[in-house]
Amino acid sequence: MIQIGAAHSLGLPMSLKILSTCLKTLRAAGWLCVGLLVWLSWIPADLEIRTGMAGQIEHAIAYCGTGAILAFAYQEPRRWRIAAGLVMLAGVLEVGQLWVPGRTSQPIDFAASSVGAVMGVLMGRAAISTLIGWAMRPSRGGIG
């Protein structure tokens, strides 16, 4: 690997500094998504803006995106922890809707959120594996 320069704050090659910055940005984006899940789950019904899709599709997409970003950003070998955390969050948020004016708590919404979270974590895992495999190929200038 050609070193472009040293990262002054970390003493790492520039490419590692860029990677570190990207991972930090993805982690921040993942936690922003978690915050949005909480916000959007617990706002009163009269403040909701819907996409026009079925609510379960919205749940699955939101949790899938969050799971994919978190799984990509955190190189945790046991990514099931990320999925389990999102499933637990979905359960807490769904039950919490019982106390939000105009909102309802439905098991089907919890199921859609949970399926989305698991799918997202699997997609994030597949994306990072693909990226690492691509970067490691000799023809791409990777190691080896």
Side-chain angles (χ1 to χ4, degrees):
M1 177 185 334
I2 300 173
Q3 293 185 1
I4 299 171
H8 299 293
S9 62
L10 300 175
L12 299 173
M14 185 58 79
S15 59
L16 291 180
K17 180 179 180 187
I18 292 168
L19 177 62
S20 176
T21 302
C22 288
L23 287 176
K24 287 178 184 177
T25 302
L26 280 171
R27 289 174 181 164
W31 286 107
L32 176 64
C33 288
V34 169
L36 283 171
L37 290 174
V38 173
W39 172 258
L40 293 171
S41 294
W42 284 356
I43 60 172
D46 59 341
L47 296 178
E48 281 186 296
I49 299 174
R50 304 307 295 232
T51 63
M53 291 186 278
Q56 292 79 26
I57 301 295
E58 292 176 342
H59 283 245
I61 290 171
Y63 278 85
C64 184
T66 302
I69 291 169
L70 289 173
F72 195 92
Y74 287 97
Q75 300 309 302
E76 168 68 39
R78 295 173 296 264
R79 287 188 180 86
W80 65 267
R81 292 178 177 181
I82 296 170
L86 288 173
V87 169
M88 287 189 296
L89 176 67
V92 168
L93 296 179
E94 204 60 41
V95 170
Q97 287 182 356
L98 293 171
W99 292 277
V100 179
R103 301 295 295 267
T104 59
S105 178
Q106 298 180 359
I108 189 71
D109 290 343
F110 168 71
S113 299
S114 298
V115 168
V118 171
M119 286 178 49
V121 169
L122 292 173
M123 289 170 55
R125 173 75 176 123
I128 194 66
S129 295
T130 301
L131 181 63
I132 289 171
W134 179 82
M136 298 297 283
R137 288 185 14 203
S139 63
R140 298 283 181 237
I143 300 171

